[in-house]
Amino acid sequence: MASRPTARMVLRRRTQAPKPVDLKVEDGSGSDSEYDGVSCQECGSGDFGSKLLLCDKCDKGYHLFCLRPILVSVPKGSWFCHSCSNRHNKLKSFPLVQTKIVDFFRIQRSSDSSNKLFEDYRKKRRRPSSIVMSKKRRRLLPFNPSEDPARRLEQMASLATALTATRTEFSNELTYRPGMAPRSANRAALELGGMQVLSKEDNETLNLCQSMMETGEWPPLMVVFDPQEGFTVEADRFIKDLTIITEYVGDVDYLKNRETDDGDSMMTLLSATDTSKSLVICPDKRSNIARFINGINNHTSEGRKKQNLKCVRFDVNGQCRVLLIANRDIRKGERLYYDYNGYENEYPTEHFV
């Protein structure tokens, strides 16, 4: 590709519905009248020109919010409509082979040790009955893996399929890359108004979840592809209220470095009093299953009814962490959703399905 994009390509990247009378072609080669009258192939309207995206192969236009799955922001690089992309790309399932899955997720050892950890945890949580009752904060619960090892392999393979299709490397922790925010920048003490501290007991539960995943004891979740929503996540067994589903992870960067980023999955990590120190999580290069859990349309009552997870930022040993936690009992087969606007109320969800 040429180092300097043409006016034609610039327009596509910005998703503008072009107006020839306002344009100047860089190579000076005549009129741009070919752009006049661009309309959406789904709804037929040419309105909302700033939301029209042109296919890089067939030149047909589509509103970002008319696409299924919806695109919240402009994709990086070339973009192809459903018809054109289907001619070249077919979703390839990750091989259901234990050795390949173990290598992909870097599973370290036998699950015997994690089973012992889970049993020790359950014994610690059992309490003798007492006449004296006291009101205490409800504690977080660890996920309960599927008993069938073959089913756990299918669950892991579904995530590997989604990560491979989106060219994302698996990571189950926050990552700090050269040129981005350093680990030392992640200081919960900088949070505007303070941050909720994860209790000692809940910290032990979080560590248990991480230990189980390192040994192949996986959350009972299945990643599926939906024509309207794209990759999305379903519960593969009953999940109790207050269960830790996953941590939201990815590359950590300063918000100021990402203000013009067109990524659609960034998550607030630190909202600092000094905004130059605010941090976000960017899961486009490295991430886990959290990247594929979808948001609700919080502009409608039906959308809000779908929410079954809450997104909570915690101070964990002085560092900011983001957890997705069940906010009610979740039945098997139910899709997981949370509110993208739990804090800032700035994310555009009005076109979410």
Side-chain angles (χ1 to χ4, degrees), residues 256-268:
K256 62 185 179 183
N257 295 341
R258 299 283 178 154
E259 289 180 342
T260 59
D261 196 304
D262 57 8
D264 61 355
S265 301
M266 282 191 297
M267 171 70 70
T268 299

Side-chain angles (χ1 to χ4, degrees), residues 153-337:
L153 281 180
E154 291 180 32
Q155 294 161 359
M156 288 187 277
S158 72
L159 175 55
T161 296
L163 290 169
T164 302
T166 55
R167 298 181 177 87
T168 306
E169 178 184 340
F170 173 73
S171 175
N172 212 30
E173 61 184 6
L174 297 175
T175 47
Y176 300 88
R177 311 293 295 180
M180 298 186 186
R183 188 182 299 271
S184 60
N186 186 357
R187 296 167 52 202
L190 300 176
E191 174 73 15
L192 177 64
M195 181 176 289
Q196 181 178 348
V197 177
L198 192 68
S199 69
K200 178 182 177 182
E201 295 82 1
D202 289 343
N203 200 356
E204 290 176 352
T205 301
L206 176 59
N207 290 335
L208 171 63
C209 291
Q210 293 173 326
S211 297
M212 287 194 294
M213 291 193 68
E214 289 174 357
T215 58
E217 298 290 315
W218 214 251
L221 306 172
M222 192 73 75
V223 183
V224 298
F225 186 82
D226 182 275
Q228 292 193 346
E229 298 185 28
F231 287 111
T232 187
V233 180
E234 295 179 350
D236 205 33
R237 70 178 302 177
F238 175 78
I239 297 175
K240 290 184 179 180
D241 184 17
L242 288 181
T243 295
I244 295 177
I245 302 299
T246 186
E247 180 177 359
Y248 204 100
V249 301
D251 295 336
V252 178
D253 201 1
Y254 290 109
L255 174 61
K256 62 185 179 183
N257 295 341
R258 299 283 178 154
E259 289 180 342
T260 59
D261 196 304
D262 57 8
D264 61 355
S265 301
M266 282 191 297
M267 171 70 70
T268 299
L269 178 63
L270 170 63
S271 183
T273 304
D274 180 353
T275 56
S276 68
K277 297 180 179 179
S278 294
L279 302 175
V280 291
I281 303 170
C282 309
D284 54 326
K285 303 296 183 190
R286 281 157 285 275
S287 191
N288 60 9
I289 201 167
R291 179 180 178 182
F292 305 108
I293 298 177
N294 288 333
I296 62 167
N297 180 341
N298 60 6
H299 294 266
T300 67
S301 59
E302 288 302 314
R304 290 190 291 271
K305 287 178 183 178
K306 293 165 63 175
Q307 181 178 355
N308 47 25
L309 303 182
K310 58 183 176 181
C311 175
V312 187
R313 291 186 292 141
F314 285 104
D315 175 344
V316 182
N317 300 323
Q319 291 194 332
C320 307
R321 307 272 287 275
V322 180
L323 303 183
L324 297 181
I325 300 166
N327 67 353
R328 60 172 172 80
D329 289 346
I330 303 173
R331 67 183 184 276
K332 180 180 179 180
E334 187 176 348
R335 290 188 177 175
L336 305 187
Y337 295 95

Side-chain angles (χ1 to χ4, degrees), residues 28-135:
S29 58
S31 170
D32 285 324
S33 59
E34 61 181 301
Y35 291 109
D36 197 14
V38 175
S39 60
C40 176
Q41 296 297 305
E42 296 294 334
C43 69
S45 171
D47 296 337
F48 304 103
S50 63
K51 300 295 184 182
L52 271 171
L53 179 64
L54 297 184
C55 174
D56 281 290
K57 184 173 180 63
C58 68
D59 281 338
K60 293 180 180 178
Y62 297 84
H63 284 125
L64 296 177
F65 50 80
C66 286
L67 292 167
R68 294 293 182 270
I70 286 172
L71 290 181
V72 178
S73 59
V74 186
K76 294 181 179 179
S78 299
W79 177 82
F80 301 97
C81 68
H82 180 72
S83 298
C84 293
S85 61
N86 277 350
R87 296 170 192 164
H88 305 284
N89 300 320
K90 290 186 178 180
L91 185 63
K92 295 182 180 179
S93 298
F94 194 86
L96 195 60
V97 179
Q98 182 171 353
T99 54
K100 291 184 179 295
I101 292 173
V102 166
D103 290 342
F104 186 90
F105 291 107
R106 300 185 291 277
I107 295 173
Q108 298 176 1
R109 55 188 180 275
S110 167
S111 63
D112 293 342
S113 57
S114 62
N115 286 336
K116 185 177 185 303
L117 285 171
F118 190 72
E119 288 303 316
D120 290 344
Y121 166 86
R122 293 181 64 180
K123 290 178 182 177
K124 286 179 65 177
R125 293 294 288 269
R126 295 193 187 106
R127 298 178 181 176
S129 59
S130 173
I131 297 177
V132 179
M133 301 295 290
S134 61
K135 186 176 180 179

